[in-house]
Amino acid sequence: MLKKLIPANVFSALSRGDSLQVLFASLAFGCAAGAVERRKAAEGQHAGIISLCASLFAVMTSLLGAFMLFLPLGLFAMTAGQVAAIGTDIIRAMARFVACIYLVCIALFAAGSALIAFWRHISFARAVISVKGSLLLAFAARSSLAAMPVAIADVERLGVDKRLVDVVVPLGAVVARFSMVILYAASLVFTSQLYELPLSLAQLCKGMVLCLVASIAGIGSPAVVSISLLSMIFVPLALPHSAMMTLLLMIIAIIDPVLTAESVHANCVLA
């Protein structure tokens, strides 16, 4: 477990998208930077490490916002190649699957915003606007970790205790993988209907439990890698998983942004 937690090379962990190792390295760097800042402050000096990191984060956020303008064009180009290679029948089926994913995420977003409005005694509109920054960044970057600092700031502005936010949001970004639970559950139902293999209520309940187990097993892995864990869910239910994994790899770039945004929003609701 410790070997998986401590990165041999931080930049290699970043390139692989290994969330646990990146989080561990970030915590170690943050603790060291805070210790240096306190020591320099005691000596009457200013190290400026934390200010530099905050400035770099602001610059990268601005760049991501600019790149997001080209996202629709890139998605269109990628989808055009897939349609030309496979045909339209399966594309129509996958289009309904993508629409289902987006509708589920929108419904969960609305429910979560209603809970924020109820708990913080604010209007629904303000509950939506209050977390807009973190959701846009999560959608553009497709990374819960990249959106984590903005999510922390958004939740703190709602009046939540800073000590609670500093624990719940980072922990939820790594452990509470709501996005993968949604993806696994939707894939389970979609595959059952696509191959006309009806599932009983007991099998559906078993499948939901397996979705939770698979999401936990994939902690620290990017979405593309986590797709391979579908076999943990499909094999016990005698469902074909290889074809669904291929189909998900085709559309992951389309659904990953909204799944990541919903996962970040769910963490904000929990905090």
Side-chain angles (χ1 to χ4, degrees), residues 47-194:
I49 299 175
I50 297 178
S51 299
L52 175 63
C53 292
S55 299
L56 288 173
F57 176 76
V59 171
M60 297 307 297
T61 302
S62 178
L63 286 174
L64 284 171
F67 291 149
M68 187 178 174
L69 297 175
F70 299 95
L71 181 64
L73 179 62
L75 292 177
F76 175 79
M78 181 179 61
T79 306
Q82 294 168 352
V83 172
I86 298 176
T88 59
D89 290 341
I90 190 63
I91 295 301
R92 283 197 292 268
M94 294 310 294
R96 291 193 291 269
F97 178 78
V98 171
C100 177
I101 292 288
Y102 271 79
L103 288 174
V104 168
C105 289
I106 291 172
L108 291 175
F109 173 76
S113 299
L115 287 175
I116 292 176
F118 176 75
W119 286 333
R120 306 313 304 175
H121 304 291
I122 58 177
S123 65
F124 181 83
R126 186 183 171 191
V128 172
I129 295 173
S130 62
V131 294
K132 179 182 67 175
S134 57
L135 295 185
L136 289 176
L137 182 55
F139 190 91
R142 294 166 54 185
S143 171
S144 298
L145 292 180
M148 185 170 59
V150 181
I152 291 174
D154 288 345
V155 177
E156 286 179 356
R157 280 196 295 270
L158 288 170
V160 182
D161 185 4
K162 186 179 186 303
R163 292 172 297 179
L164 178 64
V165 174
D166 289 343
V167 173
V168 174
V169 174
L171 187 62
V174 177
V175 178
R177 309 185 76 212
F178 300 103
S179 59
M180 297 314 301
V181 175
I182 296 171
L183 181 60
Y184 291 150
S187 300
L188 173 65
V189 176
F190 176 80
T191 305
S192 172
Q193 295 179 349
L194 183 65

